[in-house]
Amino acid sequence: MQRYVILISGRGSNMESLLDGGLPGVCAAVISNRPDAAGLALAAARGIATVTVDHRGFASREDFDAALAAEIDRHSPDLILLAGFMRILGEAFVRRFEGRLLNIHPSLLPAFPGIGTHVRALAAGVRLHGCSVHFVTTALDGGPIVAQAAVPVQTGDDEACLAARVLAEEHTLYPRAARWFLEGRLQLLDGRARLADEALVSGSLHVPQTA
Ligand code: GAR
């Protein structure tokens, strides 16, 4: 049985969609960098082991990364899923887990890396926005894209309603991509996300219905 761990920093709704998604694997632990992350209680309520590695307790980013990596290794995961994990991970960490680190980001990458994606999408006036699942590399939100879901930006949208529209897609897209990885049908190869067959390629893009 494949093993995965989920890294969170807050609410944990993507974590819940992964835990409730019937993935072909065991969630060995949910790890947070914040002790007050609401997602920790949601995971514990499902009987999942929870751990906090509080970044504020470390003198440097490297020390935090090393402690986090050691905690992850204790669970021997095949896959590490960043689900609203809001810390930038350093090169040594990323290299150690390269090829088994996935992230979900609330924009159609490479547009709007970083934070505040919905506000920036509204300010830019884009008509399409969305979310991306990607392998994590040393480039911030810049790793090879696995799957994307697009949503329309509608007249009168504010940050909250656009974020909610995107989040609903995140909750479908991330479990789908995680499943592909755990089934051995998705891998990082030569710097690209490789999907096993054409059916997955068409499943890796969600576009909205247009009237
Ligand atoms: C999600 O929208 C996720 O895509 C985003 O944080 C939110 C976490 O919500 N992640 C990032 O911005 C990473 N750069 P959640 O805790 O309810 O899953």
Side-chain angles (χ1 to χ4, degrees):
M1 195 66 143
Q2 299 267 81
R3 296 166 62 81
Y4 61 95
V5 299
I6 304 175
L7 306 192
I8 64 168
S9 296
R11 180 177 56 186
S13 73
N14 275 290
M15 174 206 76
E16 284 189 289
S17 75
L18 292 163
L19 293 176
D20 296 344
L23 295 179
V26 173
C27 181
V30 168
I31 304 172
S32 173
N33 66 305
R34 302 186 63 98
D36 58 351
L40 287 171
L42 299 172
R46 287 168 170 77
I48 310 286
T50 61
V51 187
T52 298
V53 182
D54 190 339
H55 63 277
R56 293 169 301 186
F58 296 89
S60 69
R61 187 181 295 282
E62 290 72 27
D63 288 352
F64 168 70
D65 281 4
L68 181 62
E71 182 57 42
I72 290 170
D73 279 341
R74 267 189 354 100
H75 304 283
S76 309
D78 302 284
L79 174 62
I80 299 135
L81 294 155
L82 277 52
F85 185 71
M86 304 306 278
R87 297 293 298 173
I88 293 174
L89 295 163
E91 188 167 346
F93 182 98
V94 170
R95 295 235 182 280
R96 180 169 175 158
F97 298 113
E98 198 160 22
R100 48 193 177 118
L101 266 180
L102 288 176
N103 182 42
I104 183 135
H105 182 76
S107 77
L108 291 175
L109 291 170
F112 313 124
I115 59 173
T117 58
H118 308 305
V119 168
R120 287 191 284 147
L122 289 168
V126 294
R127 301 297 310 280
L128 272 182
H129 187 41
C131 55
S132 308
V133 175
H134 65 95
F135 280 105
V136 177
T137 63
T138 51
L140 175 65
D141 298 326
I145 292 167
V146 172
Q148 293 186 304
V151 303
V153 179
Q154 289 165 356
T155 310
D157 275 352
D158 61 12
E159 182 186 7
C161 78
L162 186 56
R165 194 176 304 129
V166 172
L167 191 65
E169 297 300 330
E170 294 184 39
H171 293 164
T172 303
L173 194 71
Y174 207 9
R176 183 184 300 168
R179 169 176 294 279
W180 293 340
F181 187 96
L182 293 168
E183 289 174 346
R185 299 194 296 158
L186 163 65
Q187 58 177 326
L188 181 65
L189 206 61
D190 300 329
R192 300 286 302 253
R194 301 287 177 188
L195 294 168
D197 54 56
E198 278 307 310
L200 298 199
V201 173
S202 53
S204 69
L205 169 67
H206 170 88
V207 289
Q209 302 282 334
T210 47

